[in-house]
Amino acid sequence: MTRTAHGPVAVLGLGAMGAGLAHRLLDQGIPIRVWNRTPDRTAPLAQAGAHVAAHPAEAVAETSAAICVVADGQALGTVLRGPEGVLAHGPYPGTLLCASTVAPEEVVQIAGDLPAALDVGMLGNRDHARDGELRLFVGGTREAFDAAGPLLRALGKDVVHLGALGSGMRMKLLLNLLMGIEVQALAEATELAEACGLDRQLVLKTVAGSGFASPVMAFKSRRLAAGRFDEPDFRLRLMAKDLMLATKQAAAAGLSLPLATAAAETHVRATEQGLGDQDCAAITRALRPKPGTDT
């Protein structure tokens, strides 16, 4: 393996996906240095053998690669170019992997003239991340992709190079567009069924077992059946962000995407209603009539 696979590797951002990636690297025997905006999330990794850094610049010191898994473009910009950021003391000599879902143009702008930057669209959830079962869609130069190949293959079961920097984000936004629409469609069908007097649990079981359900719909049907949206696999506010990014991409390309636009508006409204930190399947709660509303 190359030095990129042996590490040490920095993981910046320890949400569900970042923490999963960090544990996966440790399981593979790769030493890691971790940082998170709120330090309490570093404790389990420290106990597992990770070095906990006080800021991103410290985290990437003497590493061969750094993986950024933060919430949005603003956070990514701060981690890379803010005070004590990755680039605060000069160019980063390793391979920088931007695994945060942001606008493709933001990746290119934030990465600037870094010689070895990749954007990585991750398909899967936190369990996939921890078990090395992700599908990874990567943008960047062939040279940077080849150098990071051993590391990427340690994290994902499928690794695909799509082209220039920004390509990984474009694929990720397409995938999240499909997920957002599918989960909302499932929630709408379920709410309509219940409003018409059908048994909610039976409807969800029927849909999940039918040829009409995608794997993600079958997976999310369990949350809808249980009515539990805490400990999210993917936060609703992040889905709202990604759907908005997708609609902006469409507008820039001169495309009209009615389903994407409607789903984005529903998710933004649900976030404004306080559902943003729940699982994206909580979109079902934004569809229900308010108390006292005639139906």
Side-chain angles (χ1 to χ4, degrees), residues 168-236:
M169 287 302 100
R170 290 189 173 90
M171 178 61 83
K172 177 62 174 176
L173 290 176
L174 294 178
L175 293 168
N176 280 1
L177 168 61
L178 288 172
M179 178 181 173
I181 290 174
E182 288 178 0
V183 174
Q184 182 168 328
L186 176 64
E188 289 188 13
T190 304
E191 293 299 327
L192 177 59
E194 191 167 19
C196 293
L198 295 178
D199 181 86
R200 183 183 186 88
Q201 304 299 320
L202 179 58
V203 167
L204 284 166
K205 181 179 179 180
T206 301
V207 172
S210 74
F212 298 112
S214 67
V216 73
M217 291 170 74
F219 178 68
K220 292 298 183 184
S221 69
R222 297 197 288 272
R223 279 197 179 269
L224 290 171
R228 289 197 57 182
F229 307 109
D230 56 347
E231 299 182 2
D233 303 303
F234 188 60
R235 295 181 190 276
L236 192 148

Side-chain angles (χ1 to χ4, degrees), residues 9-35 41 45 48 50 67 69 126 129-130 155:
V9 173
V11 181
L12 309 172
L14 300 174
M17 297 301 288
L21 293 175
H23 281 290
R24 171 64 179 176
L25 291 172
L26 287 174
D27 289 345
Q28 293 296 295
I30 300 172
I32 63 171
R33 300 169 66 87
V34 299
W35 170 85
R41 290 189 176 180
L45 286 158
I67 308 172
V69 199
R126 57 187 166 190
R130 186 158 188 160
L155 297 174

Side-chain angles (χ1 to χ4, degrees), residues 15 41 51 77 92 105 117 145 158 187 214 224 233 254 260 274 280 285 290:
R41 290 189 176 180
H51 172 85
Y92 176 59
E105 297 77 13
F145 175 77
D158 291 324
S214 67
L224 290 171
D233 303 303
C280 63
R285 291 179 171 169
K290 295 180 181 179

Side-chain angles (χ1 to χ4, degrees), residues 34-58:
V34 299
W35 170 85
N36 193 66
R37 182 177 58 85
T38 52
D40 58 302
R41 290 189 176 180
T42 63
L45 286 158
Q47 293 174 1
H51 172 85
V52 176
H55 47 70
E58 180 190 339

